[in-house]
Amino acid sequence: MDEILTRTLDSLPSYETREKSPPPPESSSLEFIQFYRSLDKSQRPAFLAKLSSDFGVDHKCVAELAANVMDSQKRDISTVLQAEDRLRYCLTPRYKVLLNHISRVEGGVKFLVDLKADVIEFLASKTNDSPHIRDLNGTLKSMLSEWFSVGLLSLERVTWKSPCELLQKISQYEAVHPVRNWTDIKHRVGPYRRCYVFTHGAMPGEPLVVLHVALKEEISDNIQTIVREFSSLDSVEDINRVNAAVFYSISSTQPGLQGVELGNYLIKRVVRELQGEFPHLNQFSSLSPIPGFTNWLLSLLNEQRKEGPSNRILSDMEFMDIEEITGGRAYETMQKLLSTNEWVSSERLVKALEPALMRLCAWYLYGEKHRGYALNPVANFHLQNGATMWRLNWQADTSPRGLSASCGMMVNYRYFLQDTSPNSGRYLRTKEIEASDQIRNLVLQFQKASKL
Amino acid sequence: MDEILTRTLDSLPSYETREKSPPPPESSSLEFIQFYRSLDKSQRPAFLAKLSSDFGVDHKCVAELAANVMDSQKRDISTVLQAEDRLRYCLTPRYKVLLNHISRVEGGVKFLVDLKADVIEFLASKTNDSPHIRDLNGTLKSMLSEWFSVGLLSLERVTWKSPCELLQKISQYEAVHPVRNWTDIKHRVGPYRRCYVFTHGAMPGEPLVVLHVALKEEISDNIQTIVREFSSLDSVEDINRVNAAVFYSISSTQPGLQGVELGNYLIKRVVRELQGEFPHLNQFSSLSPIPGFTNWLLSLLNEQRKEGPSNRILSDMEFMDIEEITGGRAYETMQKLLSTNEWVSSERLVKALEPALMRLCAWYLYGEKHRGYALNPVANFHLQNGATMWRLNWQADTSPRGLSASCGMMVNYRYFLQDTSPNSGRYLRTKEIEASDQIRNLVLQFQKASKL
Amino acid sequence: MDEILTRTLDSLPSYETREKSPPPPESSSLEFIQFYRSLDKSQRPAFLAKLSSDFGVDHKCVAELAANVMDSQKRDISTVLQAEDRLRYCLTPRYKVLLNHISRVEGGVKFLVDLKADVIEFLASKTNDSPHIRDLNGTLKSMLSEWFSVGLLSLERVTWKSPCELLQKISQYEAVHPVRNWTDIKHRVGPYRRCYVFTHGAMPGEPLVVLHVALKEEISDNIQTIVREFSSLDSVEDINRVNAAVFYSISSTQPGLQGVELGNYLIKRVVRELQGEFPHLNQFSSLSPIPGFTNWLLSLLNEQRKEGPSNRILSDMEFMDIEEITGGRAYETMQKLLSTNEWVSSERLVKALEPALMRLCAWYLYGEKHRGYALNPVANFHLQNGATMWRLNWQADTSPRGLSASCGMMVNYRYFLQDTSPNSGRYLRTKEIEASDQIRNLVLQFQKASKL
Amino acid sequence: MDEILTRTLDSLPSYETREKSPPPPESSSLEFIQFYRSLDKSQRPAFLAKLSSDFGVDHKCVAELAANVMDSQKRDISTVLQAEDRLRYCLTPRYKVLLNHISRVEGGVKFLVDLKADVIEFLASKTNDSPHIRDLNGTLKSMLSEWFSVGLLSLERVTWKSPCELLQKISQYEAVHPVRNWTDIKHRVGPYRRCYVFTHGAMPGEPLVVLHVALKEEISDNIQTIVREFSSLDSVEDINRVNAAVFYSISSTQPGLQGVELGNYLIKRVVRELQGEFPHLNQFSSLSPIPGFTNWLLSLLNEQRKEGPSNRILSDMEFMDIEEITGGRAYETMQKLLSTNEWVSSERLVKALEPALMRLCAWYLYGEKHRGYALNPVANFHLQNGATMWRLNWQADTSPRGLSASCGMMVNYRYFLQDTSPNSGRYLRTKEIEASDQIRNLVLQFQKASKL
């Protein structure tokens, strides 16, 4: 292990000779790739630890050059700039040069994306989260951000005539509303549907991020009408029935590109594409899942139970209603029902729970925060893009998956094209969430009911 | 001017918020592009001066953070790394963020390539070579190097079925042996010829570097047999007559990509491509011009004349021969003849001059240096790639162009595939030139004759 | 019904004005297509009957012009040719002109292919086999033969990158060895496999005939090693292990193109394609099913039983062996066993039956005839192409399907490239079957055993 | 010569065995092609004579089968149809089978197109116009008509990104307004221009018929504004300035496809294509040359001179005007002036001649006939397509070419989409020309002036 690192990393050029140094032979990069791939998953953290600590920045050199920079302060600007440039060069980890060379061999970029995925996994699982690994993570991220910047991505529309390879991958990557079979995927690229991907020259045939769009007469409030009820595959699209573009699924496919903004840019490009195809189209919205709501609510109920009955979650009326319907104690019953999704089979319960779940969910989306931004990652994604939290939909996804995630609710994040740019800026600066009256009212109701 | 700079550049994020900052709206990048393009060439240096000096690195901040780094030396590694990372961030010129955003809009990469070409021009013409501009130049170069790294380039073979747009550009960019008309270009992509280009996803339809190859029975010693004598356009290639691949022209098309290695990689990729097509093919060589030789020789003659007759250039025999043939004074006559290319019409003169011009030219290629590397830029390019200076060819290009440049001589740089990688390394480290016996002998003769 | 026929067919031009007549408007062809498609399957025979009888040849006109031709016999050649030309024109059914126009509208050719499939079906089922319908059938066949002549077909290699649409159709059309799922089809276009189709410009995206090829070290004697045992999808083909191309499935996809030779030409084109890819490849063979053998044998056994025990099918030894193994009466038992495929589970029975079934099957293939040609349609196809009946393989397809069809046997028809053209001619003229020694010996054994 | 004909043609199958006959080996077709191509142009007529006379229809057989058909008249329909079918088969020239086989080998269709071109040339030049050759011509024409029927043609839009091969061919085929250089052709596929071709699967890369369209604010009355005055190549089309599509050049490229309707279908397809691109576009018109007018007028003048001065061509006023301006005798002077195109340099003459030339040209187009149809071939083409003779334009093409052909006039044939189908039918049936008021008035003036 040490040997390959020493061999592939030791002979990096000095500042003076950096422009005159030949690149290492390709075989060196290929050897590194092969070696890493041959490592067992359990051996990799140690390898990456060594790589990032022993072949990173030369701290002694940095300290010396930092001193130079300080000394140069009173000298002419040319000297200052020179000192800074040397320091900048010295602050580049040695392994970055190797990573750069790797990116140039065939399959090299894909290798680095996969390496980055490993690093993310090790950091997340605390297998290895030394400061050096975090540095490596940052270096990789900034490199990948450069290579996967939008100017280098190609937008591709996927149809039934697209390569099988691509369609199979899209089926397999579709995480939001799983593709069940080939008729399913055929419909998702059929009439009144669009499917777009970004691809990248260095990873041919590999979709990086996939966006599924439904073309509708109005913004959908239910996912089953999109992924289960299809137009006939032969039907010809009636342009007059296309008033709304509903983004009903967006999936990233490369864990290693986490943190590299792709989805945001894909949505923007697709909007432009659709406007070109349907000049009169002017409603753009997601129909998004709310992962985590049910779990959040269950913890809340748990807390409640522990702290004794209170009125924070249900109003008195609701509380009594539920006890009457179920014949049990409201919070315990709710907890049980929500865990099993059984409540949906009782029409009375569904009705009784609707107002409470709607306002709780609105609060979850709007009021629960992580470092000041929306806790729910899907909400955070669309808000960062500048969308408006527009409409919460009751019984929008009654599949077991949808019930388990969010008691069957889904939410539309609407893209008002004029506003997305200012919205995005405001959200990122002030963390203020742009929301519709429906959402605001539900939040207000929650706040009243829960006396928050 | 100030206004647009302030508007597009001022609000760059702090280290803490760098990940949470929304990208500026695309319109901002587009505005910058449009503004710069609208500037007259004469206004651009001032604009770039302002951009690079007022929106570069914050030196005060660098000095502070450099102090922090020094202070952190005795602290734990985590603190050190953190301090270094902040310093690294601070050393990034503010305009780099803008340039990054520009690269993401349509046509942005091409804009930056053209901007870089301007910077190079201003530096070369001394219109503006402030340290700040040199910094901007370095920043742009490192950015372009990333984007144009080999993993992101596509190799394309150009044929008569390629888009007209592409073939026209190739015709127009061919600087080495100009394409005269459409039959010419048709031949250059016809039987026993190959033409390859690198293209890049962010500049579609634009060839970045073009390599013309002739497939020959042996390594050519004459360019006219390549660019003037063609096989019939209908002839079918006889694989048994393809023993040598002769690179007879390589042109970069984007001045802004100067310094980004493309030609080297293109040659390597093409070699692999050709080996795939002709498994038995094993001779690879350039047939290269020698720009600058005639001028170099004329200065030498001038010097000689001023310092009185000596024997440094011609041997006594040669001296007398030439005086006899021309009836004039040898050096003066030579000077006149070489300036006008008239000497080639006299068979006797051609014969008489051959030994002297051959050894002088060998010396020019092998012995004349710039910062220790070969002075002749074509030689330097191929030697850096690891080629061997293999054969100097008399009367290899008797066109007026060839005569004016190098008294009609051309040189083969041969690629011995096993040796290119070590050769390249040795040349770059030790500046030692790998040359064949023919070249070495000619150099030796020169050294004897000129008593150097 | 009458109305649309009269409208679309009545106004066809006379001989004199045939060149000066405008084509009917496209709408007329489209109307005909739509009308026919709207007809219920049960209504179509009557419609086609009317079309073919009332809008066919004008017999009175033919008789008159036939008389003219006879009268012209003693006149000059110009008069003869003219009379013949008029007669020829008059012999063209009026509906042919309509069919021609239909072929010109979008989707028209596909419509005629489907119409032809209907006609074939009605003829086969005796729903309608009037002489007029047979004439219509002949007219359609000659038209389709022209349009689907080889010069107008495109050979396409199918890979995992081919359009999904195409791969799905190929999966669905594969009749010989059904494709079970997507991994299956991925393997069939993966390493050591080839899949080729003919497509036609007038029916874009529609494969007309599909050929599956396995690349093997030797000619396969077993189908499971081809369709169940795959190389890894990532494995790289080792050219040295590719000595034999085994055509293991060929499917026509358009019932309406029955009788139009496509398979034959596809095999020839694929052979050329493979020779281009693997210059040393020189063994070409099918691995073919033997549909109908089990049924043929069962009838034979039935006959035997009725006529009392005899020795025509089994030798005395075999007869006794089987009675001993099964404890029942040999022919009855065999009949039962063969109907249920149970015999394969007894190793002893498998061994005992092998010689008899092999020689019976050889005879079935070689000796059983229909109008003098091989009765088995697969045999007849390959023999017409000029292949040699090369090797009968025991337990070559032990799937239920293979057992039911041919007691698990399969046969190789081998293509000796030099001989296919003469073989084909001889077979078609003399009906003589080209067979290997193995086949001939088995047939001889059968003849001896059965005292034929 | 006889030998190759006998070898490739003799063994054609009988009616009974026609379905069971193997196709001749491909080598036979290839041999025929090679042999014919090797023949000198002067040897070909004899070869074709032999082919068409000795390997055509078997007249004796035809006579016998004609007798059979007559005998069958009183028998059942099945017998009649059978007799007719045999007769039809017998009426097929033997060489047709060979031609069919040729069409199946690579390059075979192109060979037959070229062969047809030879036949047309020999017939036109009377080198060989025997009845047999005419029969061969007819057979080839009907075969090519089948293969080049619209369902088998692909519409392709040509742009600057199209293959160079294609653009070069289009440049070279452009007969109407010759392409002068590469900038020229770039403009013809640039903004506000469209260029479409039909291609055919059997002749890849070969445009069969080319249509050039200019997108204009109104229907053009002048060709120079189309082929000399261009928008900038970078300009973006303003959809609001596209009101009229002007077909300013249509060229067939294959002499052998003369008589096969392609141009008509291309125009119709292009109209549909343009309507898809510009939904509001509703003016479609040609801007067409009038080849032959000047020559026709010169003969008329010649006649006039011989028959002594009369008033049929010029009115008295015009006659005097011209004599006054030129100082010579009107008709002689006109004859001279028109032969040399000198008259255009005199503004007075141009003015004086306008009314006469306009009404003469209108008459030439509208009144001069060949077999009842318009004598002018371009007029006949557009009238057959159903266009209206819409506007005669004075000084529409003042190039030497335009002056020599038609005294600088051009004509618009306008396509009123609703009317083209009925117009086409009426013209072909009744030979009546659909013309605008302008044309009709000019014709009336001519009739008055010339007392016809």
Coordinates of all heavy atoms in Angstrom, one line a residue, chain A residues 176-177 211-212 219-223 226 246-250 267 285-291 293 361 365 376-383 385 387-393 396-397 402 405-406 408-415:
Chain A
V176 N -38.0 7.6 -6.4 CA -39.1 8.2 -5.8 C -40.4 7.4 -6.0 O -41.1 7.1 -5.1 CB -39.3 9.7 -6.4 CG1 -40.4 10.4 -5.6 CG2 -38.0 10.4 -6.4
H177 N -40.7 7.0 -7.2 CA -41.9 6.2 -7.5 C -41.4 5.0 -8.4 O -41.4 5.1 -9.6 CB -42.9 7.0 -8.2 CG -43.2 8.3 -7.5 ND1 -43.9 8.3 -6.3 CD2 -42.9 9.6 -7.8 CE1 -44.0 9.5 -5.9 NE2 -43.4 10.3 -6.8
L211 N -35.0 13.8 -14.5 CA -36.2 14.5 -14.2 C -37.3 14.0 -15.0 O -37.3 13.9 -16.2 CB -36.0 16.0 -14.4 CG -37.2 16.9 -14.1 CD1 -37.5 16.9 -12.7 CD2 -36.9 18.3 -14.6
H212 N -38.4 13.6 -14.2 CA -39.6 13.1 -14.9 C -40.7 14.2 -14.8 O -40.9 14.8 -13.8 CB -40.2 11.9 -14.2 CG -39.3 10.6 -14.4 ND1 -39.4 9.8 -15.5 CD2 -38.3 10.1 -13.6 CE1 -38.5 8.8 -15.4 NE2 -37.8 9.0 -14.3
I219 N -52.1 21.7 -12.4 CA -51.1 21.2 -11.5 C -51.7 20.0 -10.7 O -52.7 20.2 -10.0 CB -50.5 22.3 -10.6 CG1 -49.8 23.3 -11.4 CG2 -49.5 21.7 -9.6 CD1 -49.3 24.5 -10.7
S220 N -51.1 18.9 -10.8 CA -51.6 17.6 -10.2 C -51.5 17.7 -8.7 O -50.6 18.2 -8.1 CB -50.8 16.4 -10.6 OG -50.7 16.4 -12.0
D221 N -52.6 17.1 -8.0 CA -52.5 17.0 -6.6 C -52.5 15.5 -6.1 O -52.7 15.2 -5.0 CB -53.8 17.7 -6.0 CG -55.1 17.1 -6.5 OD1 -55.0 16.1 -7.3 OD2 -56.1 17.6 -6.2
N222 N -52.1 14.7 -7.0 CA -52.1 13.3 -6.8 C -51.1 12.5 -7.7 O -51.1 12.8 -8.9 CB -53.6 12.7 -7.0 CG -53.7 11.3 -6.6 OD1 -53.1 10.4 -7.3 ND2 -54.4 11.0 -5.6
I223 N -50.3 11.7 -7.1 CA -49.3 11.0 -7.9 C -49.8 9.8 -8.6 O -49.3 9.5 -9.7 CB -48.1 10.6 -7.0 CG1 -46.9 10.2 -7.8 CG2 -48.5 9.5 -6.0 CD1 -46.3 11.2 -8.6
I226 N -50.6 10.2 -12.1 CA -49.4 10.4 -13.0 C -48.7 9.1 -13.2 O -48.5 8.7 -14.4 CB -48.4 11.4 -12.4 CG1 -49.0 12.8 -12.3 CG2 -47.1 11.4 -13.2 CD1 -48.2 13.9 -11.7
V246 N -45.6 19.2 -14.5 CA -45.4 18.8 -13.1 C -44.2 17.9 -13.0 O -44.1 16.8 -13.6 CB -46.7 18.0 -12.7 CG1 -46.5 17.5 -11.3 CG2 -47.9 18.8 -12.9
F247 N -43.2 18.3 -12.3 CA -42.0 17.6 -12.0 C -42.3 16.6 -10.9 O -42.4 16.9 -9.8 CB -40.9 18.5 -11.5 CG -40.7 19.7 -12.4 CD1 -40.6 21.0 -11.9 CD2 -40.6 19.6 -13.8 CE1 -40.4 22.1 -12.7 CE2 -40.4 20.7 -14.6 CZ -40.3 21.9 -14.1
Y248 N -42.5 15.3 -11.3 CA -43.0 14.4 -10.3 C -41.9 13.5 -9.8 O -42.1 12.6 -8.9 CB -44.2 13.6 -10.8 CG -43.9 12.7 -11.9 CD1 -43.7 11.3 -11.7 CD2 -43.9 13.1 -13.2 CE1 -43.4 10.5 -12.7 CE2 -43.7 12.3 -14.3 CZ -43.4 10.9 -14.0 OH -43.2 10.1 -15.1
S249 N -40.7 13.6 -10.3 CA -39.6 12.8 -9.8 C -38.3 13.3 -10.3 O -38.1 13.6 -11.4 CB -39.8 11.3 -10.3 OG -38.6 10.6 -9.9
I250 N -37.4 13.5 -9.3 CA -36.0 13.9 -9.7 C -35.1 13.1 -8.9 O -35.2 13.0 -7.7 CB -35.8 15.4 -9.5 CG1 -34.4 15.8 -9.9 CG2 -36.1 15.9 -8.1 CD1 -34.3 17.3 -10.3
I267 N -33.6 21.3 -13.7 CA -35.0 21.9 -13.7 C -35.0 23.2 -14.6 O -35.9 23.3 -15.4 CB -35.4 22.2 -12.3 CG1 -35.7 20.9 -11.6 CG2 -36.7 23.1 -12.3 CD1 -36.1 21.0 -10.1
S285 N -44.5 23.2 -11.7 CA -44.5 22.9 -10.3 C -44.0 21.5 -10.1 O -44.1 20.6 -11.0 CB -46.0 22.9 -9.8 OG -46.1 22.5 -8.5
S286 N -43.5 21.2 -8.9 CA -43.2 19.8 -8.5 C -44.4 19.2 -7.9 O -45.4 19.9 -7.6 CB -42.1 19.8 -7.5 OG -42.6 20.1 -6.3
L287 N -44.4 17.9 -7.9 CA -45.3 17.2 -7.0 C -44.4 16.3 -6.2 O -43.9 15.3 -6.7 CB -46.4 16.4 -7.8 CG -47.3 15.6 -6.9 CD1 -48.1 16.5 -5.9 CD2 -48.3 14.7 -7.7
S288 N -44.2 16.7 -4.9 CA -43.0 16.1 -4.2 C -43.4 15.3 -3.0 O -44.4 15.6 -2.3 CB -42.1 17.3 -3.7 OG -41.7 18.0 -4.8
P289 N -42.7 14.3 -2.7 CA -42.9 13.5 -1.5 C -42.4 14.3 -0.3 O -41.8 15.3 -0.4 CB -42.0 12.3 -1.7 CG -40.9 12.8 -2.5 CD -41.5 13.8 -3.4
I290 N -42.8 13.8 0.9 CA -42.4 14.5 2.2 C -41.8 13.5 3.1 O -42.4 13.1 4.1 CB -43.7 15.1 2.8 CG1 -44.5 16.0 1.8 CG2 -43.3 16.0 4.0 CD1 -45.8 16.4 2.3
P291 N -40.6 12.9 2.7 CA -40.0 11.9 3.5 C -39.8 12.4 4.9 O -39.4 13.5 5.1 CB -38.7 11.6 2.7 CG -38.4 12.8 2.0 CD -39.8 13.4 1.6
F293 N -42.0 12.9 7.4 CA -43.0 13.5 8.2 C -43.6 12.4 9.2 O -43.8 12.7 10.4 CB -44.1 14.0 7.3 CG -45.4 14.4 8.1 CD1 -45.3 15.4 9.0 CD2 -46.6 13.6 7.9 CE1 -46.5 15.8 9.7 CE2 -47.7 14.0 8.7 CZ -47.6 15.0 9.6
C361 N -48.3 18.7 9.1 CA -47.4 18.5 8.0 C -46.9 19.9 7.5 O -45.8 20.1 7.2 CB -48.1 17.7 6.9 SG -46.9 17.2 5.6
L365 N -43.0 21.0 7.4 CA -42.3 21.5 6.2 C -41.8 23.0 6.4 O -40.7 23.3 6.0 CB -43.2 21.5 5.0 CG -43.5 20.1 4.4 CD1 -44.6 20.2 3.4 CD2 -42.3 19.5 3.8
N376 N -36.7 19.4 6.1 CA -37.0 18.4 5.1 C -36.1 18.6 3.9 O -36.1 19.7 3.3 CB -38.5 18.5 4.7 CG -38.9 17.5 3.7 OD1 -38.8 17.7 2.5 ND2 -39.4 16.3 4.1
P377 N -35.4 17.6 3.4 CA -34.4 17.8 2.4 C -35.0 18.2 1.0 O -34.4 19.0 0.3 CB -33.6 16.5 2.3 CG -34.5 15.5 2.9 CD -35.4 16.2 4.0
V378 N -36.2 17.6 0.8 CA -36.8 17.9 -0.5 C -37.3 19.4 -0.5 O -37.1 20.1 -1.5 CB -38.0 17.0 -0.8 CG1 -38.7 17.3 -2.1 CG2 -37.6 15.5 -0.8
A379 N -37.9 19.8 0.6 CA -38.3 21.2 0.7 C -37.1 22.1 0.5 O -37.1 23.1 -0.2 CB -38.9 21.4 2.1
N380 N -36.0 21.8 1.2 CA -34.8 22.6 1.2 C -34.3 22.7 -0.2 O -33.9 23.8 -0.7 CB -33.7 22.0 2.1 CG -32.6 23.0 2.3 OD1 -32.8 24.2 2.5 ND2 -31.4 22.4 2.3
F381 N -34.3 21.6 -1.0 CA -33.8 21.6 -2.4 C -34.6 22.6 -3.2 O -34.1 23.4 -3.9 CB -33.9 20.2 -2.9 CG -33.7 20.1 -4.4 CD1 -32.4 20.2 -4.9 CD2 -34.8 19.9 -5.3 CE1 -32.2 20.1 -6.3 CE2 -34.6 19.8 -6.7 CZ -33.3 19.9 -7.2
H382 N -36.0 22.5 -3.2 CA -36.8 23.3 -4.0 C -36.7 24.8 -3.6 O -36.8 25.7 -4.4 CB -38.2 22.8 -4.1 CG -38.3 21.5 -4.9 ND1 -38.2 21.4 -6.2 CD2 -38.6 20.2 -4.5 CE1 -38.3 20.2 -6.6 NE2 -38.6 19.4 -5.6
L383 N -36.7 25.0 -2.3 CA -36.6 26.4 -1.8 C -35.3 27.0 -2.2 O -35.2 28.2 -2.6 CB -36.8 26.4 -0.3 CG -38.2 26.0 0.2 CD1 -38.2 25.8 1.7 CD2 -39.2 27.0 -0.2
N385 N -33.8 26.4 -4.8 CA -33.9 26.7 -6.3 C -34.8 27.9 -6.5 O -34.9 28.3 -7.6 CB -34.6 25.5 -7.0 CG -33.7 24.2 -7.0 OD1 -32.6 24.3 -6.6 ND2 -34.3 23.1 -7.3
A387 N -38.2 28.0 -5.5 CA -39.6 27.6 -5.7 C -40.4 28.1 -4.5 O -39.8 28.5 -3.4 CB -39.8 26.1 -5.8
T388 N -41.7 28.2 -4.6 CA -42.6 28.6 -3.5 C -43.3 27.3 -3.0 O -43.7 26.4 -3.8 CB -43.7 29.5 -4.1 OG1 -43.0 30.7 -4.6 CG2 -44.7 29.9 -3.0
M389 N -43.3 27.2 -1.7 CA -44.1 26.1 -1.1 C -45.6 26.4 -1.3 O -46.1 27.3 -0.7 CB -43.8 26.0 0.4 CG -44.1 24.7 1.1 SD -43.6 24.7 2.8 CE -41.9 24.3 2.8
W390 N -46.2 25.6 -2.2 CA -47.4 26.1 -2.8 C -48.7 25.5 -2.3 O -49.7 26.1 -2.1 CB -47.3 26.0 -4.3 CG -48.4 26.7 -5.1 CD1 -48.7 28.1 -5.1 CD2 -49.4 26.1 -5.9 NE1 -49.8 28.3 -5.8 CE2 -50.3 27.1 -6.3 CE3 -49.7 24.8 -6.3 CZ2 -51.3 26.9 -7.2 CZ3 -50.7 24.6 -7.1 CH2 -51.6 25.6 -7.6
R391 N -48.7 24.2 -2.3 CA -49.9 23.5 -2.0 C -49.7 22.1 -1.3 O -48.9 21.3 -1.9 CB -50.8 23.3 -3.2 CG -52.2 22.8 -2.8 CD -53.1 22.8 -4.1 NE -52.6 21.7 -5.0 CZ -53.0 21.7 -6.3 NH1 -53.9 22.6 -6.8 NH2 -52.5 20.7 -7.0
L392 N -50.3 21.9 -0.2 CA -50.2 20.6 0.5 C -51.4 19.8 0.0 O -52.5 20.3 0.0 CB -50.1 20.8 2.0 CG -49.8 19.6 2.8 CD1 -48.4 19.0 2.5 CD2 -49.9 19.9 4.3
N393 N -51.2 18.6 -0.4 CA -52.3 17.8 -1.0 C -52.6 16.6 -0.1 O -51.7 15.7 0.2 CB -51.9 17.3 -2.4 CG -51.5 18.5 -3.3 OD1 -52.4 19.3 -3.6 ND2 -50.2 18.5 -3.6
A396 N -52.6 12.3 -1.5 CA -51.9 12.5 -2.8 C -51.1 11.3 -3.2 O -50.8 11.0 -4.4 CB -51.0 13.7 -2.7
D397 N -50.7 10.5 -2.2 CA -50.0 9.3 -2.5 C -50.4 8.2 -1.5 O -49.8 8.1 -0.4 CB -48.4 9.5 -2.4 CG -47.7 8.2 -2.7 OD1 -48.3 7.2 -3.1 OD2 -46.4 8.3 -2.6
G402 N -46.1 5.9 0.3 CA -46.5 7.2 0.5 C -47.1 7.4 1.9 O -46.9 8.4 2.6
A405 N -44.3 7.3 4.6 CA -43.5 8.4 4.6 C -44.2 9.7 5.1 O -43.6 10.4 5.9 CB -43.0 8.7 3.1
S406 N -45.4 9.9 4.7 CA -46.0 11.2 5.0 C -47.5 11.1 5.1 O -48.2 12.0 4.7 CB -45.6 12.2 3.9 OG -46.0 11.6 2.6
G408 N -49.6 9.9 3.4 CA -50.2 10.0 2.1 C -50.2 11.4 1.5 O -50.8 11.6 0.4
M409 N -49.7 12.4 2.2 CA -49.7 13.7 1.7 C -48.5 14.0 0.8 O -47.4 13.3 0.9 CB -49.6 14.7 2.9 CG -50.9 14.9 3.6 SD -50.8 15.9 5.1 CE -50.1 14.8 6.2
M410 N -48.7 14.9 -0.1 CA -47.6 15.3 -1.0 C -47.7 16.9 -1.1 O -48.7 17.4 -0.8 CB -47.6 14.7 -2.4 CG -47.4 13.2 -2.4 SD -47.3 12.5 -4.0 CE -45.6 12.9 -4.5
V411 N -46.6 17.5 -1.6 CA -46.6 18.9 -1.6 C -46.2 19.4 -3.0 O -45.3 18.8 -3.7 CB -45.8 19.5 -0.5 CG1 -44.3 19.0 -0.6 CG2 -45.8 21.0 -0.5
N412 N -46.8 20.5 -3.5 CA -46.3 21.1 -4.7 C -45.4 22.3 -4.4 O -45.8 23.2 -3.6 CB -47.5 21.7 -5.5 CG -48.5 20.7 -6.0 OD1 -49.6 20.7 -5.5 ND2 -48.1 19.7 -6.8
Y413 N -44.2 22.2 -4.9 CA -43.3 23.4 -4.9 C -43.4 24.0 -6.3 O -43.1 23.4 -7.3 CB -41.8 23.0 -4.6 CG -41.7 22.3 -3.3 CD1 -41.6 20.9 -3.2 CD2 -41.8 23.0 -2.1 CE1 -41.5 20.3 -2.0 CE2 -41.7 22.4 -0.9 CZ -41.5 21.0 -0.8 OH -41.5 20.4 0.4
R414 N -43.9 25.3 -6.3 CA -44.3 25.9 -7.6 C -43.1 26.8 -8.0 O -42.6 27.6 -7.2 CB -45.6 26.6 -7.5 CG -46.0 27.1 -8.8 CD -47.5 27.2 -9.0 NE -47.8 27.9 -10.2 CZ -49.0 28.3 -10.5 NH1 -50.0 28.1 -9.7 NH2 -49.2 28.9 -11.7
Y415 N -42.8 26.7 -9.3 CA -41.8 27.6 -9.8 C -42.4 28.8 -10.6 O -42.9 28.6 -11.7 CB -40.9 26.8 -10.7 CG -39.9 25.9 -10.0 CD1 -40.4 24.7 -9.4 CD2 -38.6 26.2 -9.8 CE1 -39.5 23.9 -8.7 CE2 -37.7 25.4 -9.1 CZ -38.2 24.2 -8.6 OH -37.3 23.4 -7.9

